[in-house]
Each structure stands twice: as structure tokens, then as C-alpha cells.
Amino acid sequence: MTGHMNADHAADNLLIARAFGCPGATESRMVGATGEAGVWLVVDAAGERELSVAWPGGAITERSEIRREVVALYRAACEKLGVPAREEHAPEAGSRAHRGARSDHGRHAADPVAEAAEERPFSVVVRESSWSDHSDSEGSSFMEDIMRGRGTLQDYADLVAQHYYVYEALEEAAARFVGDPAFAPFHRDALARMPALEADLAQLLGDGWRDRIAAVPATEAYAARIREVAEEGWLAGLVAHHYTRYLGDLSGGQMIARRVAKQHGLDRDGVAFYDFSDLGSLTDFKNEYRAALDLLGASLDDAEKARMLEEVRAAYGFNTAVFADLGRAEAAA
């Protein structure tokens, strides 16, 4: 859930922070949730602090209820700040959203292709259908420690090492599709991360870094799945992994870079992985990417859409499993 908010709803995080306790916020990242409130890490002129915002509907007891409450917070923030809500979250008197938000959102996750049938943009269907797959309580503590300044520099280096193996597979797979016109809208040369990862690892671990890193089991499985998709020649499957990784790096990843750089005194060296300045405007690129997803969705039949959405969920599952493995390795060290 936090992964989804930070990757795909960075602007919503900022709206919520500005509406509910931090009007001068310049950055806002969701870092957790309790039964009573959502928790954001907020930056304003006074520095960095945690902001807890109570759920509009009162205390909750099920993880599945978090999405409903976050959407309600977003709507309330828009109303308070005089900002129009996005169409998919705009409340309408007598609408299904008003009459039964709980059942409506449950259907989003259970039947994402039905969303496409209602002519929702495919990029929205992808985002909404994978909401509950973006994070997992088992693996969240490792990234939470990094984001809250409790992680060590070695923890961050271990994370970068896992990125190295994942992006090695992802960029090899992308190279296989580079001549496919259907893939062209998604991938640019400026997205390539391997040179930056190698530079970061050299900075963090020294010249012998290749002998000091290893993939955790979940990373090995993650990379193997990406290669399997590429071997199959399945374009939509590759886009599922491409979307999950790169748009996350371009969104929530930017706050990770700032947090880690500040904590450990790093300049660009060490966090170059998150530097996408060669892309130009990140907002423009993400909008173009989502438009490309919409076009891809329009070209797929229902079965292929469903298959791609399952692959997006699988990608988030692999990512969560990597965090869990890193957490276990840290605890055993």
C-alpha cells in the first residue's frame, strides 16, 4: 500500500499533507498505517517530521480497508484545498462509490478487467488492481528502516546490490524488444540503470564490489522470471515488469535517494541509480508512459489484459519478497 502511494500517488500524498497539518509541505511520503491513522513522512521549511492523519471513517481492523480510507482522505483533502478530485475518485451523489465504497473497491482488486470494460484508462486499471500488492507487512520493515533513517549504509548497499541483479535481467530483456515498435513508447536509452548501479556499488563498497555482493533467493527468482518472460517473447509481460520497476524509481524512488543521501552524506555518487535527469521532466515522461499503457491496453483482449495484470501483481510480489529476504539477512548478520 505504501509502495503504491509513493510510486503512483506522490501528488496525492502532498495534497493530504498540506490539507491535514502541514500546509507548507514540499515533500510527502506515506510510511505506514495503523488502525487509527495513516502516517506520512513530510518535509517543509522546518525540516522533516512524521504526520499522522486519522482515517475519516474511524478505526479500521482489516488491511483491505486502508485503500478505502486513503481514497476518502484524498477526496477530503481535495475539498479542503479547493482542488478537483481525479475523475475516478470524484464523489458523486448516489454513485456506486457513494453507496458502497467498500464493495466497489473490493471489486477493483478482484475483477480488474471489468474496470477496463467500463472504459477506464488501462493505466488506471493497472494502478488500482495492484494496490494491495505494492507492499507486504513481512517485508516492509527493511524499507521502513531505510526511509526513517534507521537503516545503515550497509543496508542501503545491500539494496543496491539486489537492484543490480534485477536490472541486469530487466535491461537484457528490454534489449530483446528494442526493435519492436510497440515497445518503443515505454523504453528510452536514458532509462538504463546498469552504469549508474555499477558506479554506486563502486562508491559504496569499493573496487572489489563484485566479489562482495550476492543475490538473495527472492532476487534470483525475480530475475529468472523477467528472463522467462523475455524468452517467451511476451511484450505485455515485459511491460508489466518495466512499469513496476521504472515508474517506482521515478516516483517514490526519488524520495529514497534524498533520504539516503542526507543520512549518509552522499552526493550523486552512491545514489546515481535514482538520477534520471537525462529524461528531462519526470512528470512529463510518466504521463507519456501512462498514455502508452492506455494504448497498449486498447490493443489487448480481456484475457491478455488479465494475464498482464497478474504479471504486474507478480512483479510487486517479487519486490516485496526481496525486502523480506534482506530483512532476514540483516537480522541474521
Side-chain angles (χ1 to χ4, degrees):
M1 179 272 298
T2 56
H4 175 69
M5 285 296 295
N6 297 325
D8 288 342
H9 294 281
D12 298 357
N13 287 333
L14 199 54
L15 280 174
I16 290 169
R18 288 173 174 173
F20 299 108
C22 193
T26 57
E27 297 179 21
S28 178
R29 177 180 175 82
M30 194 172 192
V31 294
T34 69
E36 290 72 37
V39 183
W40 281 262
L41 189 66
V42 179
V43 177
D44 62 10
E48 187 177 82
R49 63 186 176 91
E50 283 193 359
L51 174 68
S52 181
V53 184
W55 300 129
I60 60 176
T61 58
E62 301 292 334
R63 180 181 175 188
S64 60
E65 295 176 300
I66 296 176
R67 182 187 187 284
R68 183 194 70 215
E69 296 303 319
V70 170
V71 170
L73 273 180
Y74 165 74
R75 289 173 177 157
C78 288
E79 182 176 354
K80 186 172 183 179
L81 298 175
V83 175
R86 290 190 307 281
E87 183 178 352
E88 69 264 26
H89 290 322
E92 299 177 4
S95 69
R96 280 182 300 113
H98 242 37
R99 292 196 307 267
R102 184 189 301 265
S103 62
D104 186 50
H105 292 312
R107 185 177 57 77
H108 286 181
D111 191 7
V113 177
E115 295 295 324
E118 296 177 7
E119 298 183 354
R120 289 164 61 82
F122 189 58
S123 58
V124 173
V125 176
V126 171
R127 183 179 69 223
E128 298 291 347
S129 67
S130 58
W131 180 286
S132 63
D133 301 282
H134 282 248
S135 62
D136 183 281
S137 58
E138 181 184 13
S140 63
S141 61
F142 181 85
M143 282 307 298
E144 183 178 349
D145 284 349
I146 287 179
M147 283 307 305
R148 297 196 181 191
R150 296 193 295 257
T152 65
L153 187 60
Q154 183 61 51
D155 291 338
Y156 173 65
D158 290 342
L159 176 65
V160 176
Q162 305 315 304
H163 286 159
Y164 176 84
Y165 293 108
V166 171
Y167 281 83
E168 181 180 45
L170 184 58
E171 294 182 3
E172 286 174 4
R176 295 172 68 105
F177 289 82
V178 72
D180 189 333
F183 186 56
F186 297 101
H187 194 75
R188 297 184 190 174
D189 291 343
L191 283 175
R193 295 296 88 195
M194 288 303 288
L197 284 165
E198 291 173 351
D200 285 348
L201 288 167
Q203 173 69 23
L204 295 167
L205 299 176
D207 292 339
W209 63 267
R210 293 180 189 274
D211 297 324
R212 299 179 59 189
I213 66 171
V216 297
T219 297
E220 292 179 346
Y222 195 173
R225 178 55 187 165
I226 292 171
R227 291 189 170 103
E228 182 181 6
V229 166
E231 287 288 340
E232 182 184 338
W234 182 26
L235 174 64
L238 174 60
V239 172
H241 289 278
H242 195 278
Y243 159 84
T244 304
R245 290 300 330 170
Y246 287 112
L247 258 66
D249 302 331
L250 291 165
S251 300
Q254 300 305 298
M255 196 166 187
I256 293 173
R258 290 190 289 272
R259 189 72 182 90
V260 169
K262 180 180 178 181
Q263 180 187 357
H264 299 295
L266 302 173
D267 293 320
R268 183 182 185 277
D269 294 340
V271 291
F273 169 75
Y274 296 103
D275 182 0
F276 288 90
S277 54
D278 288 347
L279 277 176
S281 168
L282 302 191
T283 298
D284 288 348
F285 176 78
K286 288 187 288 185
N287 287 338
E288 291 166 9
Y289 197 106
R290 293 180 179 116
L293 274 178
D294 294 339
L295 289 174
L296 177 64
S299 73
L300 305 177
D301 62 24
D302 286 352
E304 185 67 357
K305 286 176 185 175
R307 187 181 179 214
M308 179 179 170
L309 293 173
E310 285 300 321
E311 196 66 25
V312 170
R313 295 189 192 100
Y316 281 116
F318 281 122
N319 195 53
T320 296
V322 170
F323 293 159
D325 276 1
L326 285 170
R328 283 190 284 267
E330 176 190 34

